[in-house]
Amino acid sequence: MILLTRVDFRLLHGQVAASWVQGLGADCIFCVGDHVASDQVLRTALKLGKPPHVKLVIKDMAHAIEAINSGVTDRYRMIICVETVRDAKALLDGCPTITALNLGNTRESATTTEVTHQVYLEPDEVAMIRELASRGVRVEARALCADVPVDVVPLLRR
Protein backbone atom coordinates (compact mmCIF):
# COMPACT_ATOMS: atom_id res chain seq x y z
CA MET A 1 0.00 0.00 0.00
CA ILE A 2 1.38 3.39 -0.99
CA LEU A 3 1.05 5.71 2.00
CA LEU A 4 2.87 8.70 0.52
CA THR A 5 4.51 9.73 -2.73
CA ARG A 6 6.94 12.55 -1.97
CA VAL A 7 9.15 14.89 -3.97
CA ASP A 8 12.27 15.72 -1.98
CA PHE A 9 15.63 16.37 -3.59
CA ARG A 10 17.31 14.83 -0.53
CA LEU A 11 15.22 11.64 -0.86
CA LEU A 12 15.74 9.96 2.52
CA HIS A 13 16.70 12.15 5.49
CA GLY A 14 15.40 13.03 8.96
CA GLN A 15 11.98 14.29 7.86
CA VAL A 16 11.23 11.06 6.03
CA ALA A 17 13.10 8.64 8.32
CA ALA A 18 11.54 10.00 11.50
CA SER A 19 8.40 12.08 10.95
CA TRP A 20 6.86 10.33 7.96
CA VAL A 21 7.85 6.74 8.76
CA GLN A 22 6.59 7.01 12.33
CA GLY A 23 3.57 9.15 11.53
CA LEU A 24 2.32 6.83 8.80
CA GLY A 25 3.53 3.54 10.24
CA ALA A 26 5.57 2.82 7.11
CA ASP A 27 7.70 -0.31 6.82
CA CYS A 28 9.28 0.44 3.43
CA ILE A 29 10.91 3.44 1.78
CA PHE A 30 11.03 3.17 -2.01
CA CYS A 31 13.50 5.60 -3.62
CA VAL A 32 12.72 5.89 -7.32
CA GLY A 33 14.62 7.44 -10.19
CA ASP A 34 17.27 6.79 -12.77
CA HIS A 35 19.78 9.04 -11.00
CA VAL A 36 19.50 7.39 -7.57
CA ALA A 37 19.50 3.92 -9.10
CA SER A 38 22.77 4.56 -10.93
CA ASP A 39 24.69 6.52 -8.26
CA GLN A 40 26.45 4.03 -6.00
CA VAL A 41 27.62 6.67 -3.51
CA LEU A 42 24.07 8.01 -3.11
CA ARG A 43 22.70 4.47 -2.76
CA THR A 44 25.20 3.76 0.03
CA ALA A 45 24.34 7.00 1.84
CA LEU A 46 20.62 6.19 1.66
CA LYS A 47 21.22 2.74 3.13
CA LEU A 48 23.03 4.33 6.07
CA GLY A 49 20.17 6.78 6.68
CA LYS A 50 17.25 4.39 6.77
CA PRO A 51 15.62 3.43 10.05
CA PRO A 52 16.67 -0.09 11.11
CA HIS A 53 13.15 -1.55 11.06
CA VAL A 54 12.34 -0.22 7.58
CA LYS A 55 13.09 -1.87 4.25
CA LEU A 56 14.80 0.34 1.66
CA VAL A 57 14.24 -0.34 -2.03
CA ILE A 58 15.96 1.65 -4.78
CA LYS A 59 14.90 1.25 -8.41
CA ASP A 60 15.14 3.11 -11.68
CA MET A 61 11.93 4.58 -13.04
CA ALA A 62 11.01 1.80 -15.45
CA HIS A 63 11.53 -0.98 -12.91
CA ALA A 64 9.71 0.97 -10.18
CA ILE A 65 6.66 1.48 -12.40
CA GLU A 66 6.71 -2.21 -13.29
CA ALA A 67 6.95 -3.25 -9.62
CA ILE A 68 4.14 -0.95 -8.48
CA ASN A 69 1.81 -1.93 -11.32
CA SER A 70 2.49 -5.65 -10.83
CA GLY A 71 1.30 -5.49 -7.23
CA VAL A 72 4.55 -6.85 -5.78
CA THR A 73 4.84 -3.72 -3.60
CA ASP A 74 1.31 -4.02 -2.20
CA ARG A 75 2.46 -6.01 0.83
CA TYR A 76 4.40 -3.03 2.18
CA ARG A 77 3.23 0.14 3.92
CA MET A 78 5.34 2.23 1.58
CA ILE A 79 6.63 5.77 1.24
CA ILE A 80 7.84 6.55 -2.27
CA CYS A 81 10.52 9.24 -2.58
CA VAL A 82 11.59 10.89 -5.83
CA GLU A 83 14.09 13.72 -6.32
CA THR A 84 12.20 15.96 -8.73
CA VAL A 85 8.75 16.94 -9.94
CA ARG A 86 9.78 15.55 -13.32
CA ASP A 87 10.42 12.14 -11.73
CA ALA A 88 7.10 12.35 -9.89
CA LYS A 89 5.27 13.13 -13.12
CA ALA A 90 6.91 10.16 -14.87
CA LEU A 91 5.99 7.88 -11.97
CA LEU A 92 2.38 9.06 -11.82
CA ASP A 93 2.07 8.83 -15.62
CA GLY A 94 3.15 5.20 -15.37
CA CYS A 95 1.16 4.38 -12.22
CA PRO A 96 -2.35 5.79 -12.50
CA THR A 97 -3.32 4.30 -9.15
CA ILE A 98 -1.20 6.95 -7.40
CA THR A 99 -3.58 9.85 -6.83
CA ALA A 100 -1.73 12.08 -4.37
CA LEU A 101 1.62 13.84 -4.40
CA ASN A 102 3.46 15.50 -1.54
CA LEU A 103 5.92 18.27 -2.33
CA GLY A 104 8.40 18.25 0.54
CA ASN A 105 11.60 19.97 -0.55
CA THR A 106 12.62 21.14 -4.00
CA ARG A 107 15.74 23.02 -5.01
CA GLU A 108 15.73 26.78 -5.25
CA SER A 109 17.46 28.40 -8.22
CA ALA A 110 17.48 31.67 -10.12
CA THR A 111 14.70 30.37 -12.36
CA THR A 112 12.35 28.91 -9.73
CA THR A 113 9.33 30.49 -8.10
CA GLU A 114 8.77 30.04 -4.38
CA VAL A 115 5.47 28.25 -3.76
CA THR A 116 5.99 27.58 -0.05
CA HIS A 117 8.93 27.91 2.32
CA GLN A 118 10.56 24.68 1.07
CA VAL A 119 8.97 24.27 -2.36
CA TYR A 120 10.37 26.06 -5.40
CA LEU A 121 9.21 25.22 -8.92
CA GLU A 122 10.54 25.79 -12.42
CA PRO A 123 7.97 26.99 -14.99
CA ASP A 124 7.78 23.55 -16.60
CA GLU A 125 7.23 21.97 -13.17
CA VAL A 126 4.30 24.33 -12.56
CA ALA A 127 2.81 23.06 -15.82
CA MET A 128 3.39 19.46 -14.72
CA ILE A 129 1.67 20.08 -11.37
CA ARG A 130 -1.29 21.70 -13.11
CA GLU A 131 -1.56 18.77 -15.52
CA LEU A 132 -1.47 16.23 -12.68
CA ALA A 133 -4.10 18.20 -10.76
CA SER A 134 -6.32 18.35 -13.86
CA ARG A 135 -6.26 14.53 -13.84
CA GLY A 136 -7.48 14.47 -10.26
CA VAL A 137 -4.14 14.08 -8.47
CA ARG A 138 -4.16 15.85 -5.10
CA VAL A 139 -0.95 17.89 -4.82
CA GLU A 140 0.02 19.13 -1.37
CA ALA A 141 3.00 20.79 0.26
CA ARG A 142 3.92 19.51 3.70
CA ALA A 143 7.34 19.04 5.28
CA LEU A 144 6.38 16.87 8.25
CA CYS A 145 3.63 14.35 8.75
CA ALA A 146 2.07 16.38 11.58
CA ASP A 147 1.99 19.60 9.50
CA VAL A 148 -1.24 20.83 7.99
CA PRO A 149 -1.27 19.95 4.27
CA VAL A 150 -1.35 22.94 1.91
CA ASP A 151 -3.09 22.58 -1.45
CA VAL A 152 -0.43 23.65 -3.95
CA VAL A 153 -2.59 24.37 -6.99
CA PRO A 154 -4.11 27.65 -5.73
CA LEU A 155 -0.58 28.86 -4.93
CA LEU A 156 0.70 28.49 -8.49
CA ARG A 157 1.12 31.82 -10.19
CA ARG A 158 -0.59 32.21 -13.53
Side-chain angles (χ1 to χ4, degrees):
M1 164 192 308
I2 298 170
L3 303 172
L4 178 74
T5 303
R6 178 178 173 89
V7 176
D8 193 321
F9 72 91
R10 301 167 299 172
L11 292 169
L12 171 55
H13 55 89
Q15 288 178 347
V16 172
S19 173
W20 287 103
V21 166
Q22 290 174 5
L24 298 176
D27 61 9
C28 180
I29 299 170
F30 193 6
C31 294
V32 175
D34 295 341
H35 170 246
V36 66
S38 65
D39 185 329
Q40 190 58 44
V41 173
L42 179 55
R43 292 170 61 93
T44 300
L46 293 172
K47 289 174 187 173
L48 293 172
K50 79 167 192 68
H53 64 283
V54 175
K55 180 177 182 67
L56 174 66
V57 177
I58 302 170
K59 290 196 180 287
D60 64 57
M61 188 62 65
H63 288 102
I65 290 169
E66 180 182 336
I68 292 166
N69 289 335
S70 75
V72 72
T73 61
D74 291 349
R75 64 182 173 189
Y76 298 107
R77 294 182 51 78
M78 186 168 62
I79 295 172
I80 300 173
C81 297
V82 297
E83 289 181 285
T84 66
V85 171
R86 187 169 286 101
D87 281 347
K89 171 90 166 48
L91 183 66
L92 272 67
D93 286 348
C95 300
T97 58
I98 301 174
T99 59
L101 181 63
N102 168 266
L103 302 181
N105 293 282
T106 59
R107 291 187 190 272
E108 181 180 9
S109 76
T111 56
T112 57
T113 300
E114 183 177 10
V115 177
T116 68
H117 174 66
Q118 295 176 308
V119 176
Y120 302 85
L121 298 175
E122 297 286 350
D124 65 325
E125 293 173 326
V126 170
M128 289 178 210
I129 296 294
R130 283 195 179 115
E131 196 267 314
L132 288 170
S134 75
R135 294 187 343 216
V137 174
R138 184 176 42 86
V139 184
E140 67 167 32
R142 184 164 39 146
L144 302 172
C145 186
D147 292 346
V148 175
V150 175
D151 184 359
V152 169
V153 175
L155 303 177
L156 302 177
R157 296 194 178 124
R158 295 279 169 201

mmCIF file of all heavy atoms in Angstrom, residues 7 15-16 29 37-39 42-43 46 68 109 112-113 121 135 144:
data_model
loop_
_atom_site.group_PDB
_atom_site.id
_atom_site.type_symbol
_atom_site.label_atom_id
_atom_site.label_comp_id
_atom_site.label_asym_id
_atom_site.label_seq_id
_atom_site.Cartn_x
_atom_site.Cartn_y
_atom_site.Cartn_z
ATOM 1 N N VAL A 7 8.041 14.273 -3.250
ATOM 2 C CA VAL A 7 9.153 14.889 -3.974
ATOM 3 C C VAL A 7 10.049 15.552 -2.937
ATOM 4 O O VAL A 7 9.602 16.419 -2.185
ATOM 5 C CB VAL A 7 8.670 15.945 -4.992
ATOM 6 C CG1 VAL A 7 9.863 16.629 -5.653
ATOM 7 C CG2 VAL A 7 7.750 15.333 -6.031
ATOM 8 N N GLN A 15 13.421 14.086 7.967
ATOM 9 C CA GLN A 15 11.978 14.290 7.855
ATOM 10 C C GLN A 15 11.273 13.002 7.442
ATOM 11 O O GLN A 15 10.222 12.661 7.966
ATOM 12 C CB GLN A 15 11.658 15.402 6.854
ATOM 13 C CG GLN A 15 11.994 16.782 7.361
ATOM 14 C CD GLN A 15 11.723 17.864 6.335
ATOM 15 O OE1 GLN A 15 11.510 17.593 5.152
ATOM 16 N NE2 GLN A 15 11.739 19.105 6.792
ATOM 17 N N VAL A 16 11.838 12.301 6.493
ATOM 18 C CA VAL A 16 11.227 11.055 6.027
ATOM 19 C C VAL A 16 11.472 9.936 7.039
ATOM 20 O O VAL A 16 10.537 9.241 7.443
ATOM 21 C CB VAL A 16 11.768 10.662 4.632
ATOM 22 C CG1 VAL A 16 11.279 9.279 4.228
ATOM 23 C CG2 VAL A 16 11.378 11.700 3.593
ATOM 24 N N ILE A 29 10.641 2.209 2.495
ATOM 25 C CA ILE A 29 10.911 3.445 1.775
ATOM 26 C C ILE A 29 11.413 3.035 0.398
ATOM 27 O O ILE A 29 12.377 2.285 0.278
ATOM 28 C CB ILE A 29 11.944 4.317 2.504
ATOM 29 C CG1 ILE A 29 11.423 4.709 3.879
ATOM 30 C CG2 ILE A 29 12.278 5.557 1.669
ATOM 31 C CD1 ILE A 29 12.457 5.363 4.774
ATOM 32 N N ALA A 37 19.226 5.321 -8.805
ATOM 33 C CA ALA A 37 19.497 3.915 -9.097
ATOM 34 C C ALA A 37 20.902 3.699 -9.654
ATOM 35 O O ALA A 37 21.485 2.630 -9.467
ATOM 36 C CB ALA A 37 18.462 3.368 -10.080
ATOM 37 N N SER A 38 21.463 4.719 -10.294
ATOM 38 C CA SER A 38 22.772 4.561 -10.932
ATOM 39 C C SER A 38 23.930 5.154 -10.131
ATOM 40 O O SER A 38 25.087 4.958 -10.495
ATOM 41 C CB SER A 38 22.752 5.193 -12.325
ATOM 42 O OG SER A 38 22.568 6.595 -12.224
ATOM 43 N N ASP A 39 23.646 5.847 -9.050
ATOM 44 C CA ASP A 39 24.688 6.517 -8.263
ATOM 45 C C ASP A 39 25.013 5.683 -7.022
ATOM 46 O O ASP A 39 24.288 5.719 -6.023
ATOM 47 C CB ASP A 39 24.203 7.916 -7.873
ATOM 48 C CG ASP A 39 25.261 8.743 -7.160
ATOM 49 O OD1 ASP A 39 26.114 8.170 -6.440
ATOM 50 O OD2 ASP A 39 25.214 9.981 -7.307
ATOM 51 N N LEU A 42 25.372 7.602 -3.640
ATOM 52 C CA LEU A 42 24.070 8.006 -3.113
ATOM 53 C C LEU A 42 23.322 6.808 -2.544
ATOM 54 O O LEU A 42 22.734 6.880 -1.460
ATOM 55 C CB LEU A 42 23.244 8.690 -4.210
ATOM 56 C CG LEU A 42 21.841 9.157 -3.832
ATOM 57 C CD1 LEU A 42 21.867 10.072 -2.611
ATOM 58 C CD2 LEU A 42 21.197 9.850 -5.029
ATOM 59 N N ARG A 43 23.366 5.694 -3.239
ATOM 60 C CA ARG A 43 22.699 4.471 -2.757
ATOM 61 C C ARG A 43 23.255 4.057 -1.387
ATOM 62 O O ARG A 43 22.501 3.709 -0.480
ATOM 63 C CB ARG A 43 22.879 3.331 -3.754
ATOM 64 C CG ARG A 43 22.150 3.536 -5.067
ATOM 65 C CD ARG A 43 22.566 2.484 -6.108
ATOM 66 N NE ARG A 43 22.248 1.143 -5.680
ATOM 67 C CZ ARG A 43 21.122 0.495 -5.970
ATOM 68 N NH1 ARG A 43 20.200 1.089 -6.702
ATOM 69 N NH2 ARG A 43 20.920 -0.725 -5.539
ATOM 70 N N LEU A 46 22.025 6.450 1.321
ATOM 71 C CA LEU A 46 20.624 6.189 1.656
ATOM 72 C C LEU A 46 20.489 4.968 2.558
ATOM 73 O O LEU A 46 19.691 4.971 3.502
ATOM 74 C CB LEU A 46 19.793 6.014 0.389
ATOM 75 C CG LEU A 46 19.639 7.262 -0.477
ATOM 76 C CD1 LEU A 46 18.973 6.912 -1.799
ATOM 77 C CD2 LEU A 46 18.875 8.346 0.254
ATOM 78 N N ILE A 68 5.374 -1.483 -9.059
ATOM 79 C CA ILE A 68 4.136 -0.955 -8.481
ATOM 80 C C ILE A 68 2.920 -1.508 -9.218
ATOM 81 O O ILE A 68 1.959 -1.967 -8.596
ATOM 82 C CB ILE A 68 4.151 0.590 -8.495
ATOM 83 C CG1 ILE A 68 5.206 1.112 -7.517
ATOM 84 C CG2 ILE A 68 2.773 1.153 -8.165
ATOM 85 C CD1 ILE A 68 5.548 2.577 -7.682
ATOM 86 N N SER A 109 16.468 27.901 -7.257
ATOM 87 C CA SER A 109 17.456 28.395 -8.217
ATOM 88 C C SER A 109 17.009 29.768 -8.716
ATOM 89 O O SER A 109 15.932 30.255 -8.344
ATOM 90 C CB SER A 109 17.591 27.423 -9.399
ATOM 91 O OG SER A 109 16.490 27.558 -10.274
ATOM 92 N N THR A 112 13.516 29.481 -10.407
ATOM 93 C CA THR A 112 12.347 28.909 -9.735
ATOM 94 C C THR A 112 11.507 30.003 -9.088
ATOM 95 O O THR A 112 11.985 31.100 -8.815
ATOM 96 C CB THR A 112 12.757 27.893 -8.650
ATOM 97 O OG1 THR A 112 13.625 28.534 -7.703
ATOM 98 C CG2 THR A 112 13.413 26.675 -9.249
ATOM 99 N N THR A 113 10.258 29.638 -8.836
ATOM 100 C CA THR A 113 9.330 30.493 -8.099
ATOM 101 C C THR A 113 9.037 29.813 -6.773
ATOM 102 O O THR A 113 8.767 28.610 -6.729
ATOM 103 C CB THR A 113 8.013 30.656 -8.892
ATOM 104 O OG1 THR A 113 8.310 31.259 -10.147
ATOM 105 C CG2 THR A 113 7.012 31.498 -8.132
ATOM 106 N N LEU A 121 9.512 25.925 -7.670
ATOM 107 C CA LEU A 121 9.206 25.224 -8.920
ATOM 108 C C LEU A 121 9.686 26.000 -10.135
ATOM 109 O O LEU A 121 9.554 27.227 -10.205
ATOM 110 C CB LEU A 121 7.693 24.995 -9.037
ATOM 111 C CG LEU A 121 7.051 24.130 -7.964
ATOM 112 C CD1 LEU A 121 5.539 24.096 -8.156
ATOM 113 C CD2 LEU A 121 7.628 22.725 -7.971
ATOM 114 N N ARG A 135 -5.907 15.951 -13.764
ATOM 115 C CA ARG A 135 -6.257 14.527 -13.838
ATOM 116 C C ARG A 135 -6.813 14.010 -12.525
ATOM 117 O O ARG A 135 -7.091 12.817 -12.394
ATOM 118 C CB ARG A 135 -5.019 13.698 -14.199
ATOM 119 C CG ARG A 135 -4.498 13.952 -15.572
ATOM 120 C CD ARG A 135 -3.390 13.032 -16.021
ATOM 121 N NE ARG A 135 -2.673 12.277 -15.034
ATOM 122 C CZ ARG A 135 -1.362 12.007 -15.090
ATOM 123 N NH1 ARG A 135 -0.638 12.473 -16.084
ATOM 124 N NH2 ARG A 135 -0.786 11.293 -14.170
ATOM 125 N N LEU A 144 6.458 17.927 7.255
ATOM 126 C CA LEU A 144 6.379 16.873 8.255
ATOM 127 C C LEU A 144 4.985 16.268 8.278
ATOM 128 O O LEU A 144 4.003 16.933 7.952
ATOM 129 C CB LEU A 144 6.712 17.435 9.639
ATOM 130 C CG LEU A 144 8.077 18.095 9.786
ATOM 131 C CD1 LEU A 144 8.196 18.770 11.149
ATOM 132 C CD2 LEU A 144 9.195 17.093 9.564
#
